[in-house]
Amino acid sequence: MIQPRPPAIAIGIDVGTSGARAAALSETGEVVAFAAAPFEGADETRTPAAWWRRVSECLRALGEQVSLATVEGLAVDGTSGTVLSIDAGGQPLGVMMYNEPCSDTTIVERIAAVAPAESPARGANSGLARARHLLSLTPDACVVHQADWIAMQLGMTDPVTDENNALKTGYDLADERWPAWIADAGLSPDRLPIVVRAGTPVGRLGDTGRIFGLSPYCRIHAGTTDGCASFLATGANRIGDGVTALGSTLVLKLASAHPVSASRFGIYAHRILDFWLVGGASNTGGAVIRALVGDKLEELTARLDPDIPTGLDYYPLLKPGERFPVNDPDYPPRLAPRPSDKAVFFQGLLEAMTAIEKRGYDLLEELGSGKLRSVRTVGGGARNAVWTCMRQKALGVDFLPARSVEAAVGTASLVLARRLV
């Protein structure tokens, strides 16, 4: 006899670079429904109407898998640093994506003149620089983040954002407010959303929910960034839990009892649940491996011998420039000498990336994060068992399985954690 699925209690919506995804979780955290709606072409990635269309498709698909009438809350995560200018009716006037630098050097320099040295709002790639640029084109507009705008389509009447999305726009986590220096940078705080902690209930779906089979009384919770959501999706939620993403780049995140911000090392902190999420992103990673070694990695892996180190002192980069654990735009690659045996070269690259990962976690501890106690791994590199053994030996902590690699699951778990607030 087929057992019925438990009721869906929480929904997480992820608007990422490739499309929208949504996950429905039961009260115990079990994924009872999942849906994905990819973007059709690059234009959709930066088109708010397409974001909403794909989110709507996901919610309808969830409703075909499980009843959504029992869902108590939902939240949205979006790409960190993506901002929109909107008019008084919430209609988009302009968009700048997370990977679009502000081209107006005057704006970047004005922010640098007033922002604290450790602020993530500094630089051409900050959310604040993008927001200022958009408002220079439409001065009467307001600015929201990607996740905020989707929440508005779901029923929020006034723009509300979360601390994680607001961080790169200049939000002060210590004082929990938009700081006065933002006005000195040329952006009045009344053009920015209200900010609450991630997961905080902020409104109701209202009539919008009926379209998807959701109760109008279902609560909207403040969301988070895609990076924070991906961390939560793995099941990491205790101080000392680390998550390493071995994708195109190498990204480390660690749950800490204390915030750690050190722009000189490319490190800043998010507050999520009852801990701080600290870490950084290196320019090394899978993209470097593919460019230098090719795609026949399984054949090469079978020839690796991690018990006999190569002794090669590599720092694998495709071009000068590193972000973490060294923050130097001119940091040079080290890829010589290059042995004739491709497997030895491949092993040397993995040894170097393992050393960079260890240095990253060691640096976080030196700066006050506390000790690394466990690691969960996501990304394509997680499938390489030999590399996993190399990494576990170097880090000396338990390696735990990731519960999920879907950011939508992490956002839904954020709702579960805050649903009784």
Side-chain angles (χ1 to χ4, degrees):
M1 180 176 177
I2 299 176
Q3 296 294 321
R5 291 182 177 182
I9 297 296
I11 289 177
I13 299 167
D14 167 50
V15 185
T17 57
S18 61
R21 293 174 170 82
L25 270 57
S26 70
E27 189 169 15
T28 59
E30 176 188 352
V31 178
V32 295
F34 181 81
F39 292 135
E40 297 179 357
D43 287 345
E44 283 202 352
T45 304
R46 54 172 295 109
T47 304
W51 304 344
W52 175 238
R53 185 162 58 249
R54 301 307 172 202
V55 168
S56 298
E57 290 175 13
C58 286
L59 290 174
R60 291 191 181 95
L62 290 186
E64 293 173 356
Q65 299 172 50
V66 66
S67 172
L68 302 184
T70 56
V71 173
E72 297 178 9
L74 59 74
V76 185
D77 75 76
T79 49
S80 176
T82 295
V83 294
L84 303 78
S85 55
I86 59 172
D87 63 19
Q91 293 301 307
L93 301 174
V95 177
M96 287 194 74
M97 297 299 293
Y98 68 97
N99 58 354
E100 291 183 81
C102 173
S103 59
D104 190 331
T105 56
T106 303
I107 290 174
V108 177
E109 290 169 358
R110 186 170 178 182
I111 292 172
V114 297
E118 299 295 341
S119 174
R122 298 170 68 93
N125 286 302
S126 76
L128 181 58
R130 297 187 188 103
R132 278 281 288 107
H133 182 71
L134 288 174
L135 291 185
S136 71
L137 304 176
T138 52
D140 295 330
C142 290
V143 173
V144 296
H145 307 91
Q146 186 178 44
D148 314 340
W149 189 81
I150 294 297
M152 293 176 71
Q153 310 318 297
L154 289 165
M156 291 299 300
T157 54
D158 297 318
V160 177
T161 194
D162 62 276
E163 292 181 332
N164 306 144
N165 274 295
L167 186 64
K168 290 182 181 178
T169 317
Y171 187 71
D172 189 320
L173 287 175
D175 291 342
E176 299 195 42
R177 63 180 177 85
W178 294 113
W181 63 259
I182 285 183
D184 297 332
L187 197 161
S188 174
D190 62 11
R191 299 289 180 185
L192 294 168
I194 296 168
V195 185
V196 298
R197 293 196 179 189
T200 302
V202 291
R204 302 279 182 181
L205 283 182
D207 289 340
T208 304
R210 300 183 192 277
I211 302 171
F212 307 108
L214 290 153
S215 165
Y217 302 104
C218 174
R219 297 197 296 184
I220 301 172
H221 293 242
T224 184
T225 63
D226 53 349
C228 291
S230 296
F231 182 92
L232 295 176
T234 67
N237 59 13
R238 296 183 179 182
I239 303 301
D241 284 351
V243 173
T244 298
L246 299 177
S248 297
T249 58
L250 170 64
V251 182
L252 310 183
K253 288 187 170 68
L254 176 65
S256 170
H258 310 286
V260 175
S261 293
S263 60
R264 65 190 184 279
F265 295 116
I267 298 169
Y268 58 90
H270 283 290
R271 180 163 44 207
I272 192 85
L273 297 179
D274 57 353
F275 57 83
W276 293 88
L277 191 56
V278 302
S282 169
N283 286 336
T284 197
V288 176
I289 291 174
R290 286 192 297 272
L292 296 176
V293 179
D295 295 323
K296 296 182 179 180
L297 301 183
E298 290 187 11
E299 296 178 17
L300 293 174
T301 298
R303 295 172 52 204
L304 300 180
D305 189 351
D307 292 330
I308 304 178
T310 66
L312 297 167
D313 183 25
Y314 290 158
Y315 202 103
L317 299 170
L318 295 180
K319 60 182 180 180
E322 178 60 305
R323 298 175 291 169
F324 169 85
V326 177
N327 191 8
D328 180 353
D330 300 316
Y331 198 79
R334 289 201 309 272
L335 295 168
R338 183 162 180 166
S340 57
D341 189 331
K342 204 170 187 179
V344 176
F345 180 56
F346 180 40
Q347 181 170 325
L349 295 177
L350 296 185
E351 289 170 351
M353 291 181 186
T354 299
I356 292 170
E357 180 183 9
K358 177 172 171 50
R359 176 55 189 150
Y361 282 122
D362 287 347
L363 178 61
L364 293 176
E365 181 180 348
E366 290 168 14
L367 294 173
S369 70
K371 285 186 173 296
L372 176 70
R373 300 190 182 280
S374 69
V375 169
R376 293 167 172 85
T377 309
V378 298
R383 295 191 293 270
N384 190 310
V386 176
W387 193 9
T388 298
C389 290
M390 293 167 61
R391 295 172 49 238
Q392 187 167 14
K393 182 178 180 181
L395 295 175
V397 298
D398 291 335
F399 272 41
L400 304 177
R403 178 185 62 178
S404 173
V405 297
E406 294 291 348
V409 173
T411 304
S413 68
L414 181 62
V415 173
L416 281 183
R418 299 301 192 203
R419 58 186 276 258
L420 299 180
V421 174

